[in-house]
Amino acid sequence: GAALSCFYLGRGKTTLVVCATLGSQFLNLALDSVLIFGWKEWIPPLGLMGKVVSTLIAQGGLCLALFCNFLSSKNRELYGSYAWHFRPKLFWACIHPGFLRALGRLLSFFSWASATHLMVIKGADYSLVLSIGGTLFLFASFFSDALCQGTTTVVSHILGAKNYHFLAKIYHSGSYIALGTTIVLSLPF
Protein backbone atom coordinates (compact mmCIF):
# COMPACT_ATOMS: atom_id res chain seq x y z
CA GLY A 1 0.00 0.00 0.00
CA ALA A 2 2.81 2.41 0.84
CA ALA A 3 4.69 1.67 -2.38
CA LEU A 4 1.59 2.15 -4.52
CA SER A 5 0.67 5.33 -2.63
CA CYS A 6 4.15 6.70 -3.26
CA PHE A 7 3.73 6.02 -6.99
CA TYR A 8 0.69 8.32 -7.08
CA LEU A 9 1.95 10.89 -4.57
CA GLY A 10 5.19 11.27 -6.50
CA ARG A 11 3.13 12.24 -9.54
CA GLY A 12 0.89 14.64 -7.64
CA LYS A 13 -2.17 12.34 -7.72
CA THR A 14 -3.15 12.90 -4.09
CA THR A 15 -6.92 12.75 -4.60
CA LEU A 16 -6.89 9.07 -5.55
CA VAL A 17 -4.72 8.14 -2.55
CA VAL A 18 -6.80 10.19 -0.11
CA CYS A 19 -10.12 8.81 -1.40
CA ALA A 20 -8.85 5.21 -1.43
CA THR A 21 -7.40 5.58 2.09
CA LEU A 22 -10.58 7.14 3.46
CA GLY A 23 -12.67 4.42 1.83
CA SER A 24 -10.41 1.79 3.35
CA GLN A 25 -10.71 3.32 6.82
CA PHE A 26 -14.51 3.57 6.63
CA LEU A 27 -14.64 -0.05 5.48
CA ASN A 28 -12.37 -0.98 8.40
CA LEU A 29 -14.66 0.81 10.88
CA ALA A 30 -17.79 -0.85 9.49
CA LEU A 31 -16.21 -4.31 9.50
CA ASP A 32 -14.79 -3.71 13.00
CA SER A 33 -18.22 -3.21 14.53
CA VAL A 34 -19.65 -6.25 12.76
CA LEU A 35 -16.77 -8.67 13.19
CA ILE A 36 -15.64 -7.73 16.71
CA PHE A 37 -19.10 -7.68 18.32
CA GLY A 38 -20.97 -9.94 15.89
CA TRP A 39 -24.22 -9.36 14.09
CA LYS A 40 -27.37 -11.07 15.30
CA GLU A 41 -27.24 -14.83 14.71
CA TRP A 42 -25.41 -14.62 11.38
CA ILE A 43 -21.96 -13.52 12.45
CA PRO A 44 -20.63 -14.56 15.87
CA PRO A 45 -18.48 -12.08 17.83
CA LEU A 46 -14.83 -12.67 16.95
CA GLY A 47 -13.19 -10.17 19.31
CA LEU A 48 -9.54 -9.49 18.51
CA MET A 49 -9.60 -11.89 15.57
CA GLY A 50 -12.46 -9.84 14.09
CA LYS A 51 -10.24 -6.75 14.25
CA VAL A 52 -7.46 -8.62 12.48
CA VAL A 53 -9.80 -9.83 9.73
CA SER A 54 -11.36 -6.39 9.22
CA THR A 55 -7.95 -4.73 8.99
CA LEU A 56 -6.73 -7.32 6.48
CA ILE A 57 -9.83 -6.88 4.33
CA ALA A 58 -9.65 -3.06 4.44
CA GLN A 59 -5.90 -2.92 3.73
CA GLY A 60 -6.28 -5.53 1.00
CA GLY A 61 -9.06 -3.45 -0.56
CA LEU A 62 -6.86 -0.35 -0.52
CA CYS A 63 -3.98 -2.22 -2.14
CA LEU A 64 -6.27 -3.82 -4.73
CA ALA A 65 -7.85 -0.48 -5.69
CA LEU A 66 -4.48 1.24 -6.07
CA PHE A 67 -2.96 -1.74 -7.91
CA CYS A 68 -5.85 -1.98 -10.40
CA ASN A 69 -5.48 1.70 -11.16
CA PHE A 70 -1.70 1.24 -11.41
CA LEU A 71 -2.25 -1.36 -14.16
CA SER A 72 -4.83 0.75 -16.02
CA SER A 73 -4.25 1.41 -19.71
CA LYS A 74 -3.49 5.09 -19.04
CA ASN A 75 -0.68 4.25 -16.59
CA ARG A 76 0.59 1.49 -18.88
CA GLU A 77 1.01 3.96 -21.72
CA LEU A 78 2.41 6.85 -19.65
CA TYR A 79 4.67 5.02 -17.18
CA GLY A 80 5.07 1.50 -18.54
CA SER A 81 3.51 0.00 -15.40
CA TYR A 82 3.04 -3.35 -17.16
CA ALA A 83 6.76 -3.80 -17.93
CA TRP A 84 8.30 -4.91 -14.69
CA HIS A 85 10.86 -7.47 -13.73
CA PHE A 86 12.92 -8.11 -10.63
CA ARG A 87 16.46 -6.70 -10.69
CA PRO A 88 18.42 -7.80 -7.60
CA LYS A 89 21.11 -5.08 -7.81
CA LEU A 90 18.54 -2.30 -8.14
CA PHE A 91 16.45 -3.88 -5.39
CA TRP A 92 19.44 -3.95 -3.02
CA ALA A 93 20.36 -0.36 -3.94
CA CYS A 94 16.85 0.73 -2.94
CA ILE A 95 16.63 -1.44 0.20
CA HIS A 96 20.16 -0.85 1.48
CA PRO A 97 19.70 2.67 2.94
CA GLY A 98 16.79 1.62 5.17
CA PHE A 99 17.95 -1.90 5.99
CA LEU A 100 19.50 -1.10 9.39
CA ARG A 101 16.52 1.00 10.44
CA ALA A 102 14.16 -1.81 9.46
CA LEU A 103 16.31 -4.33 11.32
CA GLY A 104 16.21 -2.11 14.40
CA ARG A 105 12.43 -1.91 14.25
CA LEU A 106 12.16 -5.65 13.78
CA LEU A 107 14.33 -6.25 16.85
CA SER A 108 12.25 -3.72 18.78
CA PHE A 109 9.02 -5.55 17.86
CA PHE A 110 10.61 -8.86 18.82
CA SER A 111 11.64 -7.44 22.20
CA TRP A 112 8.16 -6.04 22.76
CA ALA A 113 6.53 -9.37 21.86
CA SER A 114 8.90 -11.25 24.18
CA ALA A 115 8.24 -8.87 27.09
CA THR A 116 4.49 -9.08 26.47
CA HIS A 117 4.63 -12.86 26.48
CA LEU A 118 6.51 -12.85 29.79
CA MET A 119 4.05 -10.41 31.37
CA VAL A 120 1.03 -12.43 30.25
CA ILE A 121 2.54 -15.56 31.78
CA LYS A 122 3.07 -13.71 35.10
CA GLY A 123 -0.60 -12.77 35.47
CA ALA A 124 -3.22 -10.04 35.27
CA ASP A 125 -1.43 -7.46 37.45
CA TYR A 126 1.66 -7.61 35.26
CA SER A 127 -0.50 -7.34 32.13
CA LEU A 128 -2.15 -4.22 33.54
CA VAL A 129 1.21 -2.59 34.25
CA LEU A 130 2.39 -3.54 30.76
CA SER A 131 -0.75 -2.04 29.23
CA ILE A 132 -0.37 1.27 31.08
CA GLY A 133 3.36 1.43 30.36
CA GLY A 134 2.79 0.55 26.71
CA THR A 135 0.24 3.34 26.36
CA LEU A 136 2.64 5.86 27.86
CA PHE A 137 5.47 4.57 25.71
CA LEU A 138 3.40 4.87 22.51
CA PHE A 139 2.51 8.41 23.53
CA ALA A 140 6.19 9.30 23.96
CA SER A 141 7.55 7.34 20.98
CA PHE A 142 7.28 10.37 18.73
CA PHE A 143 10.57 11.58 20.24
CA SER A 144 12.57 8.77 18.65
CA ASP A 145 10.70 9.06 15.36
CA ALA A 146 11.29 12.81 15.26
CA LEU A 147 14.97 12.35 16.09
CA CYS A 148 15.34 9.72 13.37
CA GLN A 149 13.57 11.80 10.72
CA GLY A 150 15.46 14.96 11.66
CA THR A 151 18.80 13.15 11.62
CA THR A 152 18.00 11.57 8.26
CA THR A 153 17.21 15.00 6.80
CA VAL A 154 20.33 16.65 8.19
CA VAL A 155 22.64 13.77 7.18
CA SER A 156 21.13 13.75 3.68
CA HIS A 157 21.87 17.46 3.39
CA ILE A 158 25.43 16.95 4.67
CA LEU A 159 26.05 14.13 2.21
CA GLY A 160 24.52 16.09 -0.66
CA ALA A 161 26.69 19.12 0.11
CA LYS A 162 29.75 16.86 0.58
CA ASN A 163 30.49 18.38 3.99
CA TYR A 164 31.57 15.07 5.49
CA HIS A 165 33.38 16.71 8.40
CA PHE A 166 29.97 17.50 9.97
CA LEU A 167 29.01 13.81 10.23
CA ALA A 168 30.83 13.32 13.55
CA LYS A 169 29.13 16.42 14.96
CA ILE A 170 25.66 15.22 13.98
CA TYR A 171 26.43 11.79 15.43
CA HIS A 172 27.44 13.27 18.78
CA SER A 173 24.51 15.71 18.84
CA GLY A 174 22.01 12.95 18.06
CA SER A 175 23.56 10.70 20.69
CA TYR A 176 23.29 13.41 23.35
CA ILE A 177 19.67 14.12 22.45
CA ALA A 178 18.79 10.40 22.46
CA LEU A 179 20.54 9.85 25.79
CA GLY A 180 18.89 12.90 27.37
CA THR A 181 15.46 11.89 26.11
CA THR A 182 15.97 8.34 27.38
CA ILE A 183 16.94 9.58 30.83
CA VAL A 184 14.04 12.02 31.05
CA LEU A 185 11.48 9.47 29.83
CA SER A 186 12.85 6.67 32.02
CA LEU A 187 12.04 8.60 35.19
CA PRO A 188 8.22 8.29 34.95
CA PHE A 189 8.42 4.80 33.42
Side-chain angles (χ1 to χ4, degrees):
L4 289 166
S5 295
C6 287
F7 170 78
Y8 296 108
L9 295 175
R11 284 154 181 76
K13 306 289 185 189
T14 57
T15 306
L16 175 65
V17 175
V18 169
C19 290
T21 303
L22 286 174
S24 169
Q25 294 306 316
F26 285 128
L27 177 63
N28 194 10
L29 284 172
L31 289 174
D32 277 350
S33 62
V34 171
L35 294 176
I36 292 173
F37 303 111
W39 191 48
K40 299 184 181 180
E41 305 89 36
W42 296 306
I43 300 174
L46 298 175
L48 183 60
M49 188 55 71
K51 174 61 181 164
V52 170
V53 170
S54 68
T55 301
L56 284 173
I57 291 171
Q59 192 66 25
L62 170 70
C63 292
L64 185 64
L66 293 176
F67 188 67
C68 288
N69 191 290
F70 176 75
L71 293 178
S72 70
S73 59
K74 181 180 177 185
N75 285 330
R76 277 188 272 176
E77 290 174 22
L78 278 172
Y79 307 112
S81 62
Y82 63 92
W84 66 273
H85 51 287
F86 184 69
R87 291 182 262 173
K89 285 185 179 181
L90 180 59
F91 177 77
W92 179 249
C94 293
I95 294 297
H96 184 264
F99 181 74
L100 288 178
R101 183 174 178 194
L103 183 63
R105 288 200 120 178
L106 183 65
L107 290 174
S108 175
F109 288 138
F110 178 74
S111 298
W112 175 82
S114 299
T116 302
H117 180 69
L118 290 173
M119 294 295 184
V120 168
I121 289 172
K122 292 295 261 180
D125 291 339
Y126 289 88
S127 297
L128 177 64
V129 170
L130 177 70
S131 176
I132 293 169
T135 302
L136 292 172
F137 177 76
L138 285 175
F139 174 72
S141 66
F142 65 89
F143 287 117
S144 63
D145 287 340
L147 178 63
C148 187
Q149 291 298 324
T151 303
T152 301
T153 303
V154 172
V155 168
S156 297
H157 177 72
I158 288 170
L159 293 175
K162 298 184 179 176
N163 292 329
Y164 304 117
H165 58 280
F166 287 120
L167 287 176
K169 185 175 181 180
I170 191 71
Y171 174 77
H172 292 296
S173 298
S175 298
Y176 293 142
I177 293 171
L179 181 63
T181 304
T182 301
I183 290 170
V184 169
L185 291 177
S186 67
L187 295 176
F189 291 147

